[in-house]
Amino acid sequence: MSGEYRSRVERKQAAKQAKQKKGKKKKGVSWLRTIAIAILLMIVIGAASGVAAFAYFVKDAPPLDEAKIKDPLSSTIYDMDGKKVAELGGYKRTYISYKDVPKVLENAVLATEDARFYEHHGIDIVRLAGAVIANIQEGFGAEGGSTITQQVVKMTFLSSKKTLERKAQEAWLALQLEQKYSKQEILEMYLNKIYYSDGIYGVARAAEYYFGKTNLKELTLPEAALLAGMPQSPNRYNPYDHPEAAKKRRDTVLSLMAKHGFISQEEAEKAKQVPIKSMLTERKKPQSSVPYDAFIDEVIKEVTDKANVNVFEDGLKIYTTLDQEAQSYVENLLNSDQYFTGKKDLQSAIALIDTKTGAIRALGGGRNRDHVEFGFNYAIQPVGQPGSAIKPILDYGPAIEYLKWSTAHIIVDEPYTYSDGTPIRNADRRYAGPVTMRYALTWSRNIPALKTFQAVGKERAKEFANRLGMGFNEVEEAYSIGGVKRYVSPLQMAGAYSAFGNNGVYTKPYAVTKIVFPDGTEMDLKPKPKRVMHDYTAYMITDMLKSVVRSGTGQSANIPGLELAGKTGTTNYGPSGAQFGLSEGDVPDSWFVGYTPNYTAAVWTGFSKKSSTASLDKTEQRISRSLFRALISEIDDGSGEFERPDSVVKLPIKKGTNPPKLASKYTPADEITYELFVRGTQPTEVAKDEPKELPAVKDLTASYDGAANTISVSWSYNEQTDNTIFEVRVKDDQGHTETITTKDVGVTITNVTPGASYTIAVYAKEDDRISKPAITSVRIPGGEQPPTPDDESGDDDNNGAGNGNNGTNENNNNGNNTNGNNGNNQNNGNDNENSDDGGDDGNDGDEGTGQENGDDGTTPPTTPTNPQSGNGYNAGMKNGNRQ
């Protein structure tokens, strides 16, 4: 029984547990089903939402207008005031059909742009998925998934903005395009629409322009690869301007062709060995029909680089920064014979921008461009080394920015070498010794520039310059005086200098403000301004560059009455001149870069070709300065000024002090210079200067007028200024004194005492400076006459009056004179070491002139004592102020 019971109990428990497990299993299955249903529902909702969003985006898509595919729309260019300037379109092109396209070119294009072109129906899902993954991993825009069909749609109907709406419309229209046209027709459209830089559209015209081939069947593998690779960034891969970048891109295409099986790896490697330059024909200059083509050339580059559109076919409205009056004046300047000699291949270029905004107002791309269109643009292309015009950018700007040097900082101009021991010399082959940073820049001294560059350091100098748009990959010591390996353009230099004039804020020069697409979509192309240096750096460089044009190497560019700063720059051939039969000192390039608060202009003068005559003489080296002066005089109204920021302190400094010392109130004016300091670094020590003695008065005379009972005193003074006063000190023989001050050159003493003797000393004074005295004396007739010891002194009532002016009687032996006029024969405080004036009245030395320090020995003026009874001291003073 017990065994059965246990079995029955166990069976019940087992049944119960099984039921519980079954219940749990059903419960788990229920939750999984719920989650699965929820996920499926989300997918359905997401798909529905995606379809709805897609439908919403494509509802406003433009129609697939066949006329637009076959007939390109011209684009209109407007100036800074919104006035129409030119219309670009109908550009002469060589249209080719699919049957004219060689297989090598087709394969190169497909390998680069759309390897699965013949397998998809307008949208390549496989490629799109790869692009999505790349964008997730590397950021939006890292890789495109557009097919050739989509690119045709974008170039024909849509803007280039990377938005979901545009991509949806692009995909929708691509599907429609594939339904209406064959693959061959679509590829034909693509090859005829591509932009190839330099105003070239279509692969047929590009083959003729770059390789001189009118038959596409003649294209070689490396040529086809170059043409297939350029559309990604036409200007960047322009083989004339950027051969290294073009080669790298061509080789990438060759590798892709091998990867996709269009060519063998061996063929790819062989084609990679062909030099880019060996493939190219001479650059052509087509006939011109476009006004202001130098400016519009920059417009086309900006629009294609920033918006990736076809300005000749996309029907754009392009709004620019062009000042038509300034542009016309620039072109007239360059084509005028007033400034240029007839030397072979002599060229010049001008870039004019707005100092505050960076907006390009005019571009002079070269001389005699009337009959060419989009030829070599000297205003925006690298043309040469900048010479000394680089010094504010690589040397002195960084020294102020990083080291806080003042404009009074002393640098020794002395024999010196580069770090490798190579000597460096100034242009005049001389040395100026210790000079201020201002002087070094004003007179473009090379040795101080190198020393400043070394003090800053290469990396900081490069960092500073590249913030100003210079784009240096490296800098060397030779760069400090303009010996750069990478040439610079006028537009580049103008942009860099404008930051100094704009309080340290840099805006990359731009010609296009915005573009409007046919569908009304707008794209803003204005670059954003950036602060690239402290305001004190910008202002202190500006102030020194003002010295360059006012008193230094740029004086011929100065415009009186205008706030103007600028710098000259010339280059030398060096050893390379020998190959042209020129000396090392011959000059291939001359620059002037300058700015006002309103405009910045860079002017270059040089040669289109190097030859035995390609050297600028002294007159030709001044052409850039003359052009700058003429241009700015014409367009600038002189408004505005460079305001000194609070971060800069301007102080009077005694010249020659190192470290700088403040000028004292006694420092002569010709020894004072005003210099700038970063606030907090200014000097506090004052130069120890003594007051400078003024010249003494001349021709001092005193005469007695018996009828009026007055003494008339007069003198002359050639050094008189508005601040000059004269102090007349009068002493009688009783020791009483009075002082008269006047601005006149004479006084009248009234009510003099009969029989008295008067000694008169006259001083010139300006502020704290005083001259030595001129002294004379006069005796008034009448009263009791003092006894005369001997006949040597005589009875002349005016003893000393006639010989008291010049102070030259050093050996006077007047020892018995009883009138107390000892020393009256000396006027100017000379060191009368041999004077023997032993007068017996006790006044010896009172008016003497034998003091080494130039003092006249006179007791300082005091309040007059009360007259003694019976001494008759009633003298009155006229023409002066009694003290």
Side-chain angles (χ1 to χ4, degrees):
M1 288 295 294
S2 62
E4 293 178 0
Y5 176 77
R6 285 198 298 270
S7 297
R8 190 166 48 249
V9 171
E10 289 174 353
R11 285 198 298 271
K12 288 182 179 179
Q13 289 179 342
K16 184 177 181 181
Q17 290 175 356
K19 188 177 181 179
Q20 289 176 344
K21 287 181 180 180
K22 186 176 181 181
K24 289 180 179 180
K25 183 176 181 180
K26 289 182 178 179
K27 187 175 182 180
V29 171
S30 176
W31 277 107
L32 288 173
R33 184 182 296 113
T34 301
I35 294 172
I37 293 172
I39 292 174
L40 181 62
L41 184 60
M42 290 174 65
I43 292 174
V44 172
I45 294 173
S49 300
V51 171
F54 184 85
Y56 176 80
F57 286 144
V58 301
K59 70 180 178 64
D60 296 324
L64 196 68
D65 188 348
E66 294 185 24
K68 289 185 178 181
I69 295 175
K70 297 178 180 179
D71 301 317
L73 299 176
S74 62
S75 296
T76 306
I77 296 178
Y78 301 90
D79 69 5
M80 60 185 288
D81 298 318
K83 296 179 180 178
K84 181 178 177 180
V85 175
E87 193 167 348
L88 300 180
Y91 192 83
K92 294 179 180 179
R93 67 179 68 230
T94 304
Y95 196 91
I96 52 108
S97 63
Y98 176 78
K99 64 182 177 62
D100 299 319
V101 179
K103 206 64 180 177
V104 65
L105 177 61
E106 179 179 356
N107 291 340
V109 171
L110 295 180
T112 307
E113 296 295 335
D114 193 353
R116 291 166 42 81
F117 177 69
Y118 288 103
E119 300 173 24
H120 61 68
H121 299 286
I123 302 174
D124 188 349
I125 302 300
V126 175
R127 184 177 182 186
L128 183 62
V132 169
I133 294 173
N135 287 326
I136 292 173
Q137 293 176 341
E138 303 176 29
F140 183 70
E143 181 177 319
S146 296
T147 63
I148 287 178
T149 309
Q150 288 175 282
Q151 291 185 53
V152 170
V153 167
K154 182 179 68 174
M155 288 189 288
T156 306
F157 303 105
L158 304 172
S159 71
S160 61
K161 284 187 175 181
K162 289 188 176 183
T163 62
L164 291 175
E165 180 180 7
R166 199 268 288 170
K167 295 298 292 185
Q169 293 179 355
E170 179 182 294
W172 173 249
L173 292 174
L175 293 172
Q176 294 185 56
L177 192 68
E178 288 267 350
Q179 293 177 357
K180 285 194 173 185
Y181 298 94
S182 69
K183 290 288 187 180
Q184 290 76 15
E185 289 174 323
I186 293 172
L187 183 61
E188 179 180 308
M189 296 175 195
Y190 175 80
L191 292 175
N192 280 293
K193 285 178 176 294
I194 303 172
Y195 178 59
Y196 281 98
S197 189
D198 283 5
I200 303 300
Y201 286 88
V203 70
R205 179 56 64 94
E208 180 181 357
Y209 180 76
Y210 289 109
F211 311 128
K213 295 183 177 181
T214 56
N215 185 353
L216 292 181
K217 303 290 186 181
E218 298 175 0
L219 286 176
T220 65
L221 174 58
E223 290 170 346
L226 179 62
L227 293 178
M230 283 185 66
Q232 186 186 67
S233 183
N235 295 327
R236 180 182 175 189
Y237 298 130
N238 186 315
Y240 290 123
D241 298 332
H242 308 289
E244 294 181 3
K247 181 183 185 305
K248 185 176 181 180
R249 178 61 178 162
R250 181 202 65 182
D251 293 349
T252 298
V253 173
L254 291 169
S255 296
L256 288 171
M257 293 180 72
K259 174 183 177 181
H260 292 293
F262 292 115
I263 60 174
S264 67
Q265 190 64 43
E266 181 180 355
E267 290 175 307
E269 294 303 321
K270 183 178 179 181
K272 290 179 182 180
Q273 301 307 311
V274 178
I276 287 291
K277 290 185 178 180
S278 70
M279 299 163 51
L280 302 175
T281 188
E282 185 176 353
R283 203 169 196 171
K284 298 178 181 65
K285 297 181 179 180
Q287 292 297 310
S288 176
S289 60
V290 178
Y292 313 141
D293 70 308
F295 186 93
I296 292 178
D297 188 20
E298 173 64 18
V299 170
I300 294 172
K301 288 183 184 298
E302 288 187 25
V303 172
T304 54
D305 284 347
K306 296 179 180 180
N308 192 26
V309 292
N310 185 332
V311 296
F312 288 93
E313 298 186 359
D314 287 353
L316 309 170
K317 292 181 179 179
I318 305 172
Y319 294 88
T320 75
T321 61
L322 176 67
D323 182 334
Q324 292 196 60
E325 292 185 5
Q327 180 69 35
S328 296
Y329 191 80
V330 163
E331 293 181 0
N332 291 336
L333 272 179
L334 291 176
N335 291 324
S336 169
D337 293 330
Q338 177 181 353
Y339 302 99
F340 296 91
T341 64
K343 186 170 289 185
K344 179 184 176 183
D345 301 323
L346 183 62
Q347 268 293 352
S348 189
I350 298 173
L352 176 70
I353 69 176
D354 186 300
T355 300
K356 296 182 180 66
T357 67
I360 303 172
R361 297 304 181 201
L363 291 172
R367 303 192 67 226
N368 304 319
R369 293 170 56 93
D370 293 341
H371 302 294
V372 296
E373 181 180 279
F374 304 122
F376 188 83
N377 193 335
Y378 292 95
I380 64 176
Q381 298 289 352
V383 291
Q385 295 176 327
S388 293
I390 203 69
K391 290 175 180 176
I393 298 171
L394 270 177
D395 307 331
Y396 301 113
I400 299 172
E401 180 74 7
Y402 300 116
L403 306 179
K404 295 187 177 180
W405 281 10
S406 72
T407 60
H409 184 86
I410 297 295
I411 314 164
V412 181
D413 184 11
E414 61 187 347
Y416 200 65
T417 66
Y418 292 100
S419 296
D420 64 2
T422 304
I424 177 175
R425 297 180 178 86
N426 295 310
D428 60 4
R429 298 298 192 269
R430 299 177 181 176
Y431 309 101
V435 296
T436 63
M437 181 167 66
R438 181 187 296 276
Y439 180 95
L441 182 55
T442 298
W443 291 103
S444 203
R445 310 301 289 176
N446 287 338
I447 293 167
L450 173 59
K451 287 186 173 183
T452 302
F453 176 87
Q454 291 173 334
V456 171
K458 292 180 182 180
E459 290 305 314
R460 289 196 293 189
K462 182 179 73 172
E463 176 189 0
F464 186 88
N466 285 346
R467 290 206 300 263
L468 298 178
M470 299 311 296
F472 292 136
N473 294 324
E474 60 177 357
V475 296
E476 302 297 337
E477 289 184 343
Y479 282 43
S480 65
I481 60 173
V484 304
K485 295 177 182 177
R486 179 177 179 177
Y487 286 0
V488 298
S489 71
L491 184 59
Q492 194 176 13
M493 293 297 290
Y497 269 63
S498 68
F500 295 124
N502 192 32
N503 203 35
V505 176
Y506 171 77
T507 304
K508 184 179 181 180
Y510 63 98
V512 181
T513 58
K514 69 176 181 179
I515 56 177
V516 180
F517 296 92
D519 60 2
T521 305
E522 293 188 6
M523 180 182 289
D524 187 350
L525 297 188
K526 289 186 293 185
K528 294 182 179 180
K530 300 177 182 178
R531 173 158 293 284
V532 295
M533 70 184 83
H534 289 94
D535 56 4
Y536 57 72
T537 302
Y539 183 81
M540 290 168 70
I541 287 292
T542 295
D543 196 66
M544 290 192 293
L545 292 179
K546 287 165 68 174
S547 296
V548 171
V549 296
R550 291 177 180 176
S551 60
T553 59
Q555 292 180 63
S556 59
N558 192 28
I559 305 171
L562 203 65
E563 278 272 270
L564 176 62
K567 184 70 184 75
T568 54
T570 55
T571 64
N572 302 110
Y573 274 103
S576 66
Q579 62 182 304
F580 305 108
L582 299 171
S583 68
E584 293 189 9
D586 281 322
V587 176
D589 305 288
S590 176
W591 293 81
F592 186 82
V593 189
Y595 54 95
T596 71
N598 302 313
Y599 295 99
T600 301
V603 187
W604 165 83
T605 303
F607 296 91
S608 58
K609 296 179 181 178
K610 296 292 190 294
S611 67
S612 60
T613 61
S615 177
L616 301 172
D617 60 28
K618 291 295 184 183
T619 299
E620 291 161 343
Q621 290 174 33
R622 290 192 291 269
I623 290 175
S624 294
R625 282 167 269 174
S626 299
L627 294 176
F628 177 90
R629 190 178 192 278
L631 173 60
I632 298 301
S633 296
E634 173 70 19
I635 66 172
D636 200 317
D637 61 6
S639 62
E641 62 181 6
F642 302 116
E643 296 184 5
R644 186 168 80 244
D646 291 338
S647 58
V648 177
V649 181
K650 184 176 183 179
L651 294 172
I653 301 298
K654 180 177 173 62
K655 292 180 181 178
T657 53
N658 184 23
K661 293 182 181 179
L662 297 172
S664 74
K665 62 181 180 179
Y666 300 123
T667 303
D670 60 355
E671 295 181 19
I672 298 175
T673 179
Y674 284 85
E675 300 292 356
L676 305 179
F677 300 83
V678 178
R679 186 174 294 279
T681 69
Q682 64 267 32
T684 56
E685 185 177 356
V686 179
K688 297 179 181 178
D689 290 312
E690 297 296 332
K692 185 176 180 181
E693 188 178 78
L694 293 174
V697 302
K698 298 180 179 179
D699 305 321
L700 176 64
T701 62
S703 61
Y704 173 66
D705 183 349
N709 193 31
T710 60
I711 301 173
S712 296
V713 184
S714 64
W715 59 90
S716 64
Y717 195 64
N718 296 331
E719 310 296 329
Q720 188 170 5
T721 68
D722 291 340
N723 294 327
T724 304
I725 62 171
F726 301 101
E727 187 173 282
V728 183
R729 302 179 188 178
V730 183
K731 179 190 289 187
D732 66 9
D733 48 10
Q734 298 299 314
H736 301 116
T737 64
E738 281 215 24
T739 300
I740 308 167
T741 58
T742 181
K743 284 184 170 290
D744 298 326
V745 289
V747 295
T748 299
I749 304 171
T750 61
N751 298 323
V752 295
T753 303
S757 294
Y758 292 91
T759 300
I760 302 167
V762 181
Y763 300 79
K765 297 182 68 176
E766 287 186 12
D767 300 322
D768 293 330
R769 297 191 297 161
I770 189 168
S771 72
K772 292 180 179 178
I775 302 172
T776 188
S777 64
V778 63
R779 178 185 293 170
I780 308 304
E784 294 185 8
Q785 300 298 322
T788 303
D790 51 41
D791 295 334
E792 190 174 70
S793 63
D795 295 324
D796 188 357
D797 290 340
N798 294 315
N799 180 37
N803 60 6
N805 281 327
N806 300 322
T808 59
N809 301 321
E810 298 180 357
N811 296 310
N812 178 45
N813 185 12
N814 197 20
N816 295 320
N817 193 340
T818 61
N819 63 5
N821 292 331
N822 297 321
N824 290 342
N825 291 338
Q826 289 79 37
N827 183 29
N828 292 326
N830 298 322
D831 295 340
N832 302 317
E833 298 176 359
N834 298 319
S835 178
D836 184 17
D837 297 340
D840 59 0
D841 61 357
N843 291 333
D844 196 46
D846 282 351
E847 298 289 349
T849 58
Q851 318 299 321
E852 283 193 322
N853 62 5
D855 190 2
D856 64 354
T858 305
T859 304
T862 59
T863 303
T865 58
N866 292 327
Q868 296 291 328
S869 176
N871 66 4
Y873 185 73
N874 297 315
M877 315 293 182
K878 290 185 178 178
N879 301 328
N881 298 319
R882 179 178 296 167
Q883 293 183 349

